[in-house]
């Protein structure tokens, strides 16, 4: 099973996020924008460009729309700036800067010179790390009692938290977008009969429900 087919089959990855009117309005506003022809409100331009490349690798363009077409980078940035709690937004911003440092971005190496392989390696290092390592990162984050404690968290745990948030929000934005919800996932705006026990393969052709 390829990555795109997996996205079509999974349930709501970021299950802790509710589909409120505020979230849906952000998604609708994003669909009117084109790629990075927008001004980041929380992140710097370089941070937004790096985020854009990471999101594009998580949900690439294939036979169905991906991050670029759905403007998922803008959705992630707008969500963190407009919906997330202030302390969460600031931690996201700080960690975006740490990611720039991790990618060795500088005057000698601007964002445009970062190779796709470097982005892919960053994602693999953290999101494909062992279960034990990921649990260790999560345990470290649980030790935070206040936003001030964020400074005492290791760099690796911060980057893992950032990439996990980016991945979850990207997948959630993908599945919640009108294009994917109506034309890719199983879509039934007016509920029909209840079938309590049958396979997803038989009911939807293996697709996850969009609603």
């Amino acid at each position: 099973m390829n990555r795109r087919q997996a996205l079509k089959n999974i349930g709501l990855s970021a299950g802790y996020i509710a589909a409120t009117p505020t979230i849906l309005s952000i998604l609708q506003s994003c669909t009117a924008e084109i790629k990075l022809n927008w001004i980041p409100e929380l992140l710097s331009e370089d941070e937004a460009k790096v985020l854009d490349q990471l999101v594009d690798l998580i949900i690439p363009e294939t036979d169905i729309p991906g991050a670029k077409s759905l403007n998922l980078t803008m959705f992630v940035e707008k969500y963190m700036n407009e919906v997330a709690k202030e302390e969460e937004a600031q931690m996201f911003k700080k960690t975006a800067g740490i990611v720039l440092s991790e990618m060795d971005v500088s005057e000698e190496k601007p964002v445009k010179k970062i190779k796709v392989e470097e982005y892919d390696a960053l994602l693999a290092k953290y999101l494909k790390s062992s279960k034990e390592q990921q649990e260790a990162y999560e345990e470290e984050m649980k030790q935070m009692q206040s936003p001030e404690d964020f400074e005492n968290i290791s760099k690796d745990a911060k980057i893992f938290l950032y990439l996990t948030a980016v991945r979850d929000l990207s997948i959630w934005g993908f599945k919640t977008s009108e294009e994917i919800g109506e034309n890719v996932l199983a879509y039934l705006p007016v509920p029909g009969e209840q079938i309590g026990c049958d396979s997803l393969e038989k009911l939807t052709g293996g697709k996850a429900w969009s609603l």
Side-chain angles (χ1 to χ4, degrees):
M1 179 184 296
N2 60 34
R3 176 162 50 178
R4 178 46 57 88
Q5 186 60 44
L7 284 172
K8 292 166 67 175
N9 291 347
I10 61 175
L12 189 61
S13 176
Y16 53 85
I17 304 175
T20 64
T22 301
I23 301 297
L24 295 177
S25 68
I26 290 176
L27 281 167
Q28 294 303 316
S29 67
C30 292
T31 60
E33 308 269 3
I34 300 176
K35 297 182 180 179
L36 275 182
N37 293 337
W38 53 281
I39 300 175
E41 300 171 350
L42 175 66
L43 304 179
S44 69
E45 184 175 349
D46 279 349
E47 291 165 351
K49 288 179 179 178
V50 168
L51 175 63
D52 184 64
Q53 294 304 307
L54 293 171
V55 174
D56 191 45
L57 278 172
I58 293 171
I59 306 183
E61 299 282 327
T62 58
D63 57 318
I64 57 178
K68 295 290 187 182
S69 297
L70 300 173
N71 295 295
L72 295 182
T73 305
M74 186 189 301
F75 169 70
V76 171
E77 208 262 357
K78 278 181 172 287
Y79 176 87
M80 293 307 302
N81 187 59
E82 298 178 12
V83 181
K85 295 179 180 179
E86 175 64 23
E87 57 267 28
E88 293 174 343
Q90 290 308 310
M91 286 190 291
F92 188 84
K93 164 69 175 175
K94 288 180 180 178
T95 313
I98 294 173
V99 170
L100 280 187
S101 298
E102 186 73 1
M103 304 295 286
D104 295 323
V105 174
S106 63
E107 291 185 4
E108 294 72 27
K109 184 185 178 183
V111 172
K112 65 181 181 180
K113 289 189 176 181
I114 300 177
K115 298 179 180 179
V116 173
E117 291 80 5
E118 295 179 74
Y119 290 106
D120 201 39
L122 183 75
L123 289 170
K125 177 180 178 180
Y126 293 97
L127 299 187
K128 291 185 178 180
S129 58
S130 67
K131 179 180 179 181
E132 291 74 20
Q133 180 61 74
Q134 294 191 28
E135 289 177 346
Y137 290 145
E138 292 169 353
E139 188 60 35
E140 193 173 346
M141 298 306 299
K142 289 179 182 178
Q143 303 307 311
M144 287 181 53
Q145 300 298 317
S146 67
E148 290 72 25
D149 294 334
F150 185 71
E151 301 302 326
N152 301 321
I153 302 300
S154 70
K155 178 191 70 174
D156 286 337
K158 291 174 182 175
I159 295 177
F160 173 76
L161 176 69
Y162 177 84
L163 295 179
T164 299
V166 168
R167 178 194 60 194
D168 289 350
L169 281 170
S170 298
I171 293 175
W172 188 77
F174 170 84
K175 289 175 62 64
T176 312
S177 68
E178 182 178 356
E179 172 66 24
I180 300 303
E182 293 187 5
N183 300 319
V184 177
L185 301 177
Y187 180 65
L188 188 62
V190 180
E193 63 179 320
Q194 178 182 1
I195 302 176
C197 186
D198 213 333
S199 69
L200 191 64
E201 188 66 36
K202 181 178 179 180
L203 294 174
T204 69
K207 297 179 180 180
W209 287 104
S210 66
L211 298 174

